[in-house]
Amino acid sequence: MKAAVIPAVNSAWELRDVPDPRPSAGEVLIRIHACGVCSNDVLATVGALPFPSIEPAVTGHEAVGEIVEVGSGVRSRQVGDRVGTTWVRSGCGRCDYCRLGLPVGGQTAMNCPDAVQTGFTAPGGHAQYMTVNADETVLLPEQLSYVAAATVMCAGYTAWSALRAGRPDPGARVAVLGIGALGHLALQYAAACGYETVAITRSPDKHELAKRLNADFVVADGEQLRGIGGADVILATAPSHAAAAASLAGLRVNGRLVLVGLDGREPFSIPPTMQYPFFAQGQSIVGATHGGPALLREALDLVAAGKVTPMVEVFPASRVAEAVDKVGRGEVRFRAVITYA
Ligand SMILES: NC(=O)c1ccc[n+]([C@@H]2O[C@H](COP(=O)([O-])OP(=O)(O)OC[C@H]3O[C@@H](n4cnc5c(N)ncnc54)[C@H](OP(=O)(O)O)[C@@H]3O)[C@@H](O)[C@H]2O)c1
Ligand SMILES: [Zn+2]
Ligand SMILES: [Zn+2]
């Protein structure tokens, strides 16, 4: 089969012939139709996240497709099923974290020493085929296209998990910092739930776009957010702790700042107490990541129902390196999805 191989850290992805995977007992063979390029795939390519520990290095955790073969003992899936699989597939089942019995999600990957992570510790979805345990797939809603479904497997799942972690009250105002892949979906998920929405973007060219993505207001930073009355929940999807901390200026009393973007360089610092003293605001700062299969299901269903529409740039497999490059430059509006079938 063809697969998009990352030859080494900091090198361009190459479409190469690699051995066909075969399903073992309990596994299914998926013919990949589409796989999104997550910004974390780019971070792994440049060595800012762990480089895939698999040979050949094939990443991609927004994989969706059709089951074409099932291994022995599989009962929950059949040939022809439309499925997807996400970043974190399982924990070791034995460590202190796994013994808590929590749903498998991003937390598992960051706490279990032996979690199976698609595209990092197990072959990823930027390929024509992949194998995965049947129970580590999700059935896709019938009316959902493969391209749209791919964006939900990480970007949508994370955006929805962040909104749920923010626990907005009915009638709340929800602001989204950073209008990229996660942000453009977070904005729409918040609007779909009836919250008043604000886009916080440093890019003037995204103002009109953000309104079309259901932003009721668009501002450039936390001070401007404060100027329009602030927000009860801020979903910080920008890869910058500094930008997230600056947004606190626009967080209402008793509000929640949800950190979902990754910043591997700078610490998160609460601004000095002189202006809007954090100690007196009753605010919370929480992290969020893929929150478990039930949240993935909800995220998929809202897209399938037409309440959230991912904005994508679709590339054929032959142009995967160009897509990765464009994602790295932050120029994709808003998720690059590669088609493999
Ligand atoms: N928690 C998780 O489980 C999880 C899962 C997936 C991804 N992530 C992380 O989530 C973040 C967003 O991912 P994505 O795929 O949505 O990325 P993306 O498409 O590149 O979007 C990020 C957006 O943040 C803003 N931004 C970028 N650099 C910035 C900076 N230095 N300062 C302030 N704003 C900046 C930009 O929006 P504007 O132009 O509107 O300002 C950009 O479009 C990344 O850090 C990624 O690693 C986390
Ligand atoms: Zn991702
Ligand atoms: Zn474990």
Side-chain angles (χ1 to χ4, degrees):
M1 69 165 179
K2 299 275 186 210
V5 175
I6 318 175
V9 175
N10 265 324
S11 57
W13 295 20
E14 287 174 9
L15 202 61
R16 288 189 188 165
D17 286 309
V18 305
D20 288 342
R22 299 305 318 271
S24 304
E27 290 185 334
V28 295
L29 179 68
I30 305 173
R31 180 171 177 241
I32 304 295
H33 280 249
C35 187
V37 179
C38 180
S39 46
N40 292 344
D41 296 344
V42 178
L43 294 178
T45 302
V46 301
L49 280 178
F51 192 75
S53 62
I54 36 185
E55 180 56 39
V58 175
T59 195
H61 53 269
E62 287 191 333
V64 293
E66 173 195 358
I67 293 181
V68 290
E69 196 179 332
V70 298
S72 61
V74 170
R75 294 177 58 231
S76 61
R77 298 290 180 264
Q78 308 167 355
V79 169
D81 280 348
R82 300 168 76 250
V83 295
T85 190
T86 69
W87 160 38
V88 192
R89 304 223 291 256
S90 60
C92 72
R94 305 189 59 85
C95 71
D96 287 349
Y97 178 78
C98 286
R99 283 169 199 248
L100 296 174
L102 298 169
V104 172
Q107 211 177 57
T108 313
M110 297 297 123
N111 290 283
C112 169
D114 203 15
V116 177
Q117 302 179 52
T118 309
F120 293 94
T121 68
H126 284 295
Q128 287 181 309
Y129 295 92
M130 74 184 288
T131 51
V132 51
N133 280 331
D135 296 340
E136 295 164 5
T137 63
V138 59
L139 291 167
L140 302 179
E142 266 175 32
Q143 61 278 38
L144 187 60
S145 75
Y146 281 122
V147 166
T151 70
V152 182
M153 302 312 294
C154 179
Y157 184 12
T158 313
W160 179 249
S161 298
L163 178 64
R164 297 288 248 120
R167 293 187 285 111
D169 289 328
R173 187 190 266 180
V174 176
V176 177
L177 169 67
I179 306 304
L182 270 56
H184 93 287
L185 292 170
L187 210 48
Q188 294 186 67
Y189 278 123
C193 294
Y195 300 115
E196 196 177 30
T197 56
V198 185
I200 313 174
T201 174
R202 57 184 188 154
S203 306
D205 61 302
K206 290 184 188 169
H207 281 226
E208 275 315 304
L209 206 46
K211 291 229 163 108
R212 277 192 271 136
L213 295 166
N214 291 339
D216 295 311
F217 303 90
V218 184
V219 297
D221 55 29
E223 284 296 341
Q224 287 190 11
L225 177 60
R226 189 179 188 86
I228 61 162
D232 302 290
V233 171
I234 299 176
L235 310 178
T237 75
S240 161
H241 282 151
S247 77
L248 278 174
L251 189 62
R252 290 174 174 165
V253 290
N254 300 326
R256 272 178 290 277
L257 171 64
V258 183
L259 291 182
V260 68
L262 273 57
D263 182 344
R265 288 177 301 253
E266 299 290 333
F268 180 89
S269 334
I270 291 171
T273 50
M274 307 315 288
Q275 205 172 6
Y276 313 120
F278 183 78
F279 80 90
Q281 308 303 325
Q283 297 161 337
S284 319
I285 300 170
V286 293
T289 178
H290 296 191
L295 295 188
L296 174 61
R297 177 85 255 154
E298 292 171 354
L300 284 166
D301 286 347
L302 281 162
V303 177
K307 294 182 176 170
V308 170
T309 306
M311 191 179 277
V312 293
E313 293 187 24
V314 180
F315 295 79
S318 57
R319 290 174 55 207
V320 66
E322 180 190 333
V324 171
D325 204 43
K326 199 170 176 188
V327 173
R329 292 196 307 271
E331 290 173 4
V332 170
R333 298 287 183 271
F334 280 100
R335 190 56 124 195
V337 175
I338 316 297
T339 50
Y340 290 93

